[in-house]
Amino acid sequence: EVQLVESGGGLVQPGRSLKLSCAASGFTFSNYYMAWVRQAPTKGLEWVASITNSGGSTYYRDSVKGRFTISRDNAKSTLYLQMDSLRSEDTATYYCTRSHTIDYWGQGVMVTVSS
Amino acid sequence: DVVMTQTPVSLSVSLGGQVSISCRSSQSLVHNNGNTYLSWYLQKPGQSPQLLIYKVSNRFSGISDRFSGSGSGTDFTLKISRVEPDDLGVYYCGQGTQYPYTFGAGTKLELK
């Protein structure tokens, strides 16, 4: 069974940093692209970033470019999202998702940016 | 960016009925490799989204044949037949043809 379990969320002040992790199991992690998708409270879905299966290429939405870094450790089957210079508009539930077609989703982790 | 326009915003249906949701993209979703990366998701209240349909018309593992997807290019449709209580929630279309990946604003399916 495919499982994606996020951790690392919480309340953080504007301008500070947070690092999310996603532990994957139930599939060969190194074979799949991975992505982060977020959802602000009562809003729709917004893709944040993607990474190729080797980690050699990464892609970001413009609003997080230069502030967020997606990475992975294939030996640990873990996906990461380093979030720096956080803003109030980054407040959302962050979902770890699998593959190009975004087929599996984690349960989500809440990130609240507020003073 | 590819803009995904979903209609209607909300839909009321009787149990056992049939509904259709439309999704239109601002650009063709045909990838250079010939695939069309248009997916449909359902987010039930308090849950993560779940994949229903991928590449326009392919049902994901475990998804009932009451769900069907169709369309091409820029116009796509999700049909749900014999609606059941477990089908209620918000439906999203999403494109994975080009970055940034984008989603429609959602269609809320409610009971009449």
Side-chain angles (χ1 to χ4, degrees), chain B residues 13 42 44-45 83-91 109-111:
Chain B
V13 64
L42 165 60
K44 299 177 186 177
V83 169
E84 299 179 357
D86 199 43
D87 300 338
L88 305 182
V90 180
Y91 289 80
L109 184 63
E110 299 172 305
L111 269 183

Side-chain angles (χ1 to χ4, degrees), chain A residues 100-102, chain B residues 2-6 21-25 27-31 35-41 51-59 68-78 92-98 102-104:
Chain A
H100 197 60
T101 47
I102 306 186
Chain B
V2 178
V3 177
M4 305 295 287
T5 303
Q6 257 183 266
I21 300 171
S22 172
C23 179
R24 183 166 291 179
S25 58
Q27 303 172 32
S28 172
L29 298 186
V30 180
H31 193 274
N35 289 316
T36 300
Y37 294 101
L38 184 283
S39 299
W40 290 95
Y41 303 89
L51 177 65
L52 301 173
I53 302 286
Y54 64 98
K55 287 198 283 186
V56 181
S57 59
N58 297 274
R59 272 186 298 277
S68 63
S70 62
S72 62
T74 61
D75 282 295
F76 306 93
T77 302
L78 175 70
Y92 295 94
C93 61
Q95 67 84 17
T97 293
Q98 62 174 269
T102 48
F103 297 90

Side-chain angles (χ1 to χ4, degrees), chain A residues 24-52:
Chain A
S25 61
F27 64 101
T28 304
F29 183 71
S30 58
N31 286 352
Y32 288 86
Y33 280 43
M34 298 293 293
W36 290 96
V37 176
R38 68 185 179 186
Q39 186 171 35
T42 72
K43 301 296 185 185
L45 304 172
E46 184 175 81
W47 169 82
V48 175
S50 288
I51 187 167
T52 56

Side-chain angles (χ1 to χ4, degrees), chain A residues 26-87:
Chain A
F27 64 101
T28 304
F29 183 71
S30 58
N31 286 352
Y32 288 86
Y33 280 43
M34 298 293 293
W36 290 96
V37 176
R38 68 185 179 186
Q39 186 171 35
T42 72
K43 301 296 185 185
L45 304 172
E46 184 175 81
W47 169 82
V48 175
S50 288
I51 187 167
T52 56
N53 52 319
S54 66
S57 293
T58 55
Y59 308 87
Y60 300 92
R61 67 178 305 101
D62 283 350
S63 61
V64 308
K65 235 175 249 183
R67 300 189 300 121
F68 289 13
T69 303
I70 188 172
S71 62
R72 64 192 297 160
D73 184 333
N74 284 345
K76 294 182 178 179
S77 296
T78 302
L79 178 71
Y80 302 101
L81 185 66
Q82 175 68 44
M83 303 185 293
D84 299 323
S85 303
L86 282 160
R87 305 168 180 167

